[in-house]
Amino acid sequence: MLALRADAHAALAAWAAPDERQQSLQLRYLEHLAQEPGGAWRDGPTCHLTAGVMLLDHDERRVLLTLHPKVGLWLQLGGHLEPEDASLRDAALREATEESGIPGIVVSQQPIELHAHELGSGFTRCTEHLDVRYAAWAPAGAEEQISEESDDLAWWPVDALPEASDPDLPHLVAAARAATRPAP
């Protein structure tokens, strides 16, 4: 667990924030990790890191979204960091694979966005997530399989996202499409 916390700190410190808002969040995340020894874990403070993933299809024409059961909105994939995750990037890959049921996903080397959001009453212990978001690409011909973590799972055209979604989703899709796809 200490290795993942150290990786999270190193990854966030090395990340080139694209603007002042993201740089402000970067500093907040780094401060959080410095002040909260358990700040990466759901069992730590009620505010903690999470890993988010905007999963594009192979041709980058669609994104896979989950209908989140506690929020009731279509969102990107993602969730809590786990002790077996070696890095933030590994956590993002694990979450994308678990929630989509798709093997062979490729995740961006660097985060594409940071997003801090308070949680509603549908969450039991967590009050705020400090999400570190990555772009990811599904292999050609990938077929999703809904997990128990979703009410629904569906591919959406990048230019026709569902109405019942996070208002920041179009920005996240654009950031994912602008990211560099690593070699598989």
Side-chain angles (χ1 to χ4, degrees), residues 59-119:
D59 298 322
E60 299 187 8
R61 293 186 187 143
R62 301 177 303 158
V63 293
L64 188 65
L65 301 177
T66 179
L67 183 57
H68 196 287
K70 292 181 181 176
V71 180
L73 296 174
W74 290 96
L75 302 173
Q76 72 286 344
L77 307 175
H80 292 103
L81 309 181
E82 300 292 343
E84 67 270 12
D85 298 325
S87 67
L88 282 173
R89 185 172 180 249
D90 285 350
L93 175 59
R94 179 187 47 74
E95 284 290 337
T97 303
E98 284 178 2
E99 291 188 13
S100 72
I102 298 172
I105 293 170
V106 177
V107 176
S108 60
Q109 293 292 330
Q110 303 295 323
I112 58 169
E113 177 183 88
L114 304 180
H115 191 275
H117 48 274
E118 292 184 10
L119 304 171

